[in-house]
Amino acid sequence: MGAAIEYLGSHRLSPADFAWLSGAVDAVAARLPQPVARAAVELVDDGRMSALHARFMNDPSTTDVLTFAQNEPGAPVDCDVAVCVDEAARRGAGRPHGTREELLLYVLHALLHACGFDDRDPASHAAMHAEEDRILVACGFGPLFAAGEGRG
């Protein structure tokens, strides 16, 4: 599973945090509804995320994660993901977990989008975040979304 996930950049992550994150992502990816054929995960700062958000979503603000799925629903995951380390540091600081767990949550969220999950209405939002926590608990990380209620 790990060979299918490529990391671009390691924006301000220590080697230990980067190693933890890549191992944790491999663990959660193994429990996705579809296998991962390819996922390129770019770790970015606020400036890069703001530029991507403006270009692809017409919103110049920063955000936590952007998913660019290339696969059809139900097919093996093939996606590009941008996760904002700065946003994870801000949000992780006010929660029982820290930055690296917040980054894990963002990557899992993106992978679930590529699996066909959505969070645009209350019912799909609840289903997607329940699936995040189900996978995180099964991997031994605990319910990170529930611990950080209010994340969109």
Side-chain angles (χ1 to χ4, degrees), residues 45-147:
D45 62 9
D46 279 330
R48 173 90 170 120
M49 183 57 90
S50 294
L52 289 169
H53 204 205
R55 179 176 175 193
F56 294 103
M57 304 299 286
N58 201 29
D59 181 343
S61 66
T62 194
T63 191
D64 50 2
V65 59
L66 291 172
T67 308
F68 304 96
Q70 308 300 314
N71 57 290
E72 295 296 322
V77 171
D78 179 4
C79 65
D80 297 295
V81 176
V83 293
C84 187
V85 177
D86 292 333
E87 186 68 11
R90 284 189 294 272
R91 290 185 184 187
R95 301 207 170 123
H97 57 268
T99 301
R100 67 186 193 177
E101 289 85 357
E102 191 74 4
L103 286 168
L104 173 60
L105 184 59
Y106 297 171
V107 175
L108 175 56
H109 188 82
L111 294 173
L112 285 172
H113 271 304
C115 288
F117 282 81
D118 200 355
D119 56 356
R120 294 185 191 264
D121 62 65
S124 61
H125 181 273
M128 182 173 194
H129 294 299
E131 181 67 0
E132 286 174 357
D133 281 343
R134 184 196 67 76
I135 290 170
L136 291 164
V137 167
C139 292
F141 299 110
L144 296 179
F145 180 77

Side-chain angles (χ1 to χ4, degrees), residues 8-68:
L8 309 171
S10 59
H11 178 73
R12 293 192 341 232
L13 289 185
S14 70
D17 284 344
F18 184 79
W20 180 91
L21 180 63
S22 62
V25 168
D26 285 347
V28 299
R31 295 186 180 269
L32 292 171
Q34 281 92 247
V36 176
R38 184 195 68 86
V41 178
E42 184 177 5
L43 303 171
V44 301
D45 62 9
D46 279 330
R48 173 90 170 120
M49 183 57 90
S50 294
L52 289 169
H53 204 205
R55 179 176 175 193
F56 294 103
M57 304 299 286
N58 201 29
D59 181 343
S61 66
T62 194
T63 191
D64 50 2
V65 59
L66 291 172
T67 308
F68 304 96

